[in-house]
Every structure is written in C-alpha cells, then in structure tokens.
Amino acid sequence: MTGVATAMTAGLVACGNNKTSSTGGAPPANTKVGILLPDTASSPRWVSADPNELKAQCAANKLTCFIDNANGSATTQQSQAQALINAGVGVLLVVNLDSGSGKAIEALAQQHNVVTIDYDRLTAGGTASYYVSYDNVKVGEDQGTALTQAPQVKDKSAVNYVEIDGAPTDNNATQFAQGYNSVLSKQPGWKKLADQTGNWDAATAQTVFTTMLGQHPDINAVMVANDTMAQSVINVLKSQGLAGKVAVSGQDSTAGGLDNVMAGTQAFTIYKPVAGEADVAIKLAGQILAGQKPTAPTTVKDPTSGRAVPAYLADPTVITKANVAKPVTDGYVTAAAVCPTPALVQLCAANGIKTP
C-alpha cells in the first residue's frame, strides 16, 4: 500500500487545504477529492482549462484535491483510482475513457464507500451518484443547426455532407451525434454521403476525411464533432485548395478552433465554459463530504441500465465570427494563445480580440 501511495503522490497535483467547509460550520471529517481526467490528446481542455479551474475551485471551497490524467490508458486510470481510494478520498470525479473501465472504477469506489461523480461523460452501466456535464444532445442539436446556417451552404437547395463522429466509447459522442443527426436528417436537400468515427484523434480524422474527400469530391459540408478533428479536416481541405469553400463544424472553442472561425475555414465552434462543469462538480463534492445529499435539478437515463442518474446540465453557446471574442473576454482561453503571431494579432484585432 505504501508503494501505491508513493506513486500517487508523485503523479498527482494537490490543491486547496482543509481548514473549513464551503457549506459553513465545522469542516467535514474528510476533505479529499480525487479527479480522474482521460487524456491530453483529444482536447486541450484536459491539459489546461479543466485542471486550472478545478484547482481554483478546490482552493476556493477549501478542499484537498488530487488531479490525475490517464494519458489515454484505461489501465493507468484504474491504477490511479486505486491509489486515490487508498489515499482516503471521499469523493471521486471520473472522466471515463470508456464505460466498461469507468464502471469498474465506480464499482471499486462503491466497495470503499467513496461517492463517485461522472464528470463531463456519463458512464453507461455505472453507479455514479451524480452526473455533471453540458446538455450533450443540445450541443449536437446546436452543431447541426449552426452547420445549416454556415455561409457556404445556407442558400443551397442541395447539400452533400459527411460526418466525422467522436469516439464510440464516449457516451458524449453518441449524444452529440443524436443531436446533430436529428437536425441534419430533416434538412430538405441535405444528403449524407459518409459517416465514420474520428475517435477524437487528429491523425485518425485526417485519414478518414482524406478517404471521404477522395470518394466524394463534391462535399459541401463536414459535420465534425470537435475542433481537434476539425483542424485535420481543414488541413486536408487546404491541401486541395478547398479551405473556406466547404462548411466545417467544431466544438470546444480551442485557440485553434477560434483562429479557424476568424479565418473563415471553420463555420463555428461550441463554447462550453469549464466553469459550468468544474464549479458545479467541486461544490457538489464539498456538499457530499459535509454529509449533505443534494437534490439535482434533473436526471438523465443511463442507456445501459435505464437508471435515472441525478444530473446537473449546463447550456452550450454557439460561437461564430459574430461572437468569436467571447471565450477570450470570459477568460476561457487567453488572447496570447489565440493570437500568437503578427498575422493572427491583426486577425484578432479585426474580430474584437485585444492583445497585450
């Protein structure tokens, strides 16, 4: 056990302290919260946005938090969960890599009386006491609607489009697709030519889209699930002289995604301020540790077990050129990250983003 604890201490980031409880009165007996993040490749949010906000909220709520990233390995995440449980966390936030491994982690936590919260991704068949995320079907619906309004396709009576979905192991990707398919399948004149997973991976998305474009050179729009994969699509389009001529979607409001929106090579991205998840999840963890049993405002149905999971769901925002500065002015991403070159500084200035 000592070896596991030592490994955990070396691999985790601790934040906050345990002097008082955010809920008032005496501090809870246990102020330890474990946070399991999935990877560093699928989205920049897992590298900076979420860890930074989670650490800030842990400090503000006077909790001792341990944040770990599995770097894409379910086996690593399982080991991290075991180490956190051995270290005595009372609440565990889980961003699963797949529902099977997430379910195993939650079962392990339950055996040790550790309360689990599904963070961002629902663990299908799991036992989490709460789910904190964005309304992911609504995210997909917003993506579909925004794509139909992209200038490249808005006035076309016939639109040929393809889809590059997120990883099938991620329930969010399923919900996103449910949302945008519900919109695009009803659009008069819209014809889906191909649909394949990009697996939240830039290289996979590039390979998939290269094949799609080769088979269907008359593509007018690409429904791609996030900014990381959208960048790969745009790179392929650039190589064919088609960037800006084909409508491309996105999600996550990454610095690169915002640059592409300003350049006109990406029609939009979806803005999901991390505070909408992190702030709620850490406050919820503090309440649980203080012995409370909060009542969530809604529930979501577990697609595997049918269980009604208590849920806190935030609303997303569509970002186009008209409001591209919002994620920067909100502090979600820095102007330095969005405008790192002289050319981008000029583009940012033209779109209302001020640089130092």
Side-chain angles (χ1 to χ4, degrees):
M1 184 172 180
T2 302
V4 174
T6 301
M8 182 206 70
T9 302
L12 299 176
V13 179
C15 52
N17 57 60
N18 58 2
K19 292 182 180 179
T20 60
S21 167
S22 63
T23 56
N30 186 351
T31 62
K32 295 180 180 179
V33 179
I35 301 169
L36 298 173
L37 302 181
D39 61 68
T40 58
S42 65
S43 173
R45 65 173 293 187
W46 305 125
V47 179
S48 54
D50 286 77
N52 291 344
E53 185 66 17
L54 287 163
K55 283 187 276 188
Q57 288 304 306
C58 287
N61 286 272
K62 299 179 173 59
L63 299 174
T64 302
C65 295
F66 302 95
I67 303 175
D68 214 351
N69 191 300
N71 289 311
S73 170
T75 301
T76 297
Q77 191 168 73
Q78 180 81 28
S79 298
Q80 292 167 344
Q82 180 69 70
L84 288 166
I85 291 168
N86 290 348
V89 299
V91 174
L92 189 63
L93 272 61
V94 181
V95 189
N96 70 65
L97 280 158
D98 60 81
S99 286
S101 61
K103 180 180 177 180
I105 288 170
E106 292 176 356
L108 179 67
Q110 193 173 48
Q111 291 170 15
H112 292 82
N113 298 313
V114 175
V115 177
T116 53
I117 298 171
D118 275 336
Y119 183 79
D120 189 67
R121 300 174 182 174
L122 182 70
T123 300
T127 54
S129 296
Y130 295 94
Y131 172 48
V132 178
S133 187
Y134 274 78
D135 185 335
N136 294 311
V137 175
K138 177 68 161 55
V139 169
E141 291 171 347
D142 286 353
Q143 287 179 300
T145 300
L147 188 64
T148 66
Q149 298 302 306
Q152 296 92 339
V153 295
K154 186 176 181 180
D155 297 322
K156 288 184 176 291
S157 58
V159 174
N160 292 324
Y161 73 101
V162 296
E163 291 182 6
I164 300 179
D165 305 315
T169 54
D170 180 358
N171 189 65
N172 282 6
T174 300
Q175 292 186 315
F176 298 148
Q178 177 186 334
Y180 53 69
N181 282 324
S182 72
V183 173
L184 299 180
S185 64
K186 298 175 184 176
Q187 295 302 308
W190 281 60
K191 181 180 179 181
K192 181 160 63 174
L193 303 179
D195 186 350
Q196 192 170 335
T197 179
N199 214 36
W200 296 138
D201 179 70
T204 301
Q206 181 163 327
T207 299
V208 167
F209 184 66
T210 299
T211 300
M212 286 178 171
L213 187 60
Q215 294 173 342
H216 307 285
D218 56 345
I219 292 172
N220 306 119
V222 188
M223 181 68 253
V224 56
N226 77 349
D227 289 352
T228 297
M229 297 190 299
Q231 183 64 67
S232 295
V233 169
I234 292 166
N235 291 344
V236 174
L237 290 171
K238 283 182 179 178
S239 72
Q240 302 298 313
L242 296 172
K245 299 177 182 180
V246 175
V248 178
S249 71
Q251 180 187 180
D252 287 341
S253 292
T254 65
L258 297 175
D259 288 341
N260 291 334
V261 169
M262 289 189 292
T265 55
Q266 185 171 322
F268 67 90
T269 185
I270 300 293
Y271 178 36
K272 300 184 297 184
V274 69
E277 294 179 323
D279 295 18
V280 173
I282 296 303
K283 180 180 179 181
L284 179 60
Q287 291 172 331
I288 293 168
L289 289 172
Q292 300 178 25
K293 294 183 178 180
T295 300
T298 189
T299 63
V300 297
K301 184 179 179 180
D302 184 319
T304 297
S305 67
R307 180 172 69 102
V309 183
Y312 295 79
L313 303 179
D315 288 327
T317 300
V318 176
I319 298 295
T320 64
K321 286 194 72 170
N323 61 345
V324 71
K326 183 173 176 56
V328 179
T329 56
D330 283 357
Y332 176 79
V333 62
T334 66
V338 178
C339 323
T341 67
L344 284 171
V345 167
Q346 290 187 343
L347 189 60
C348 284
N351 285 275
I353 298 176
K354 298 179 180 179
T355 54

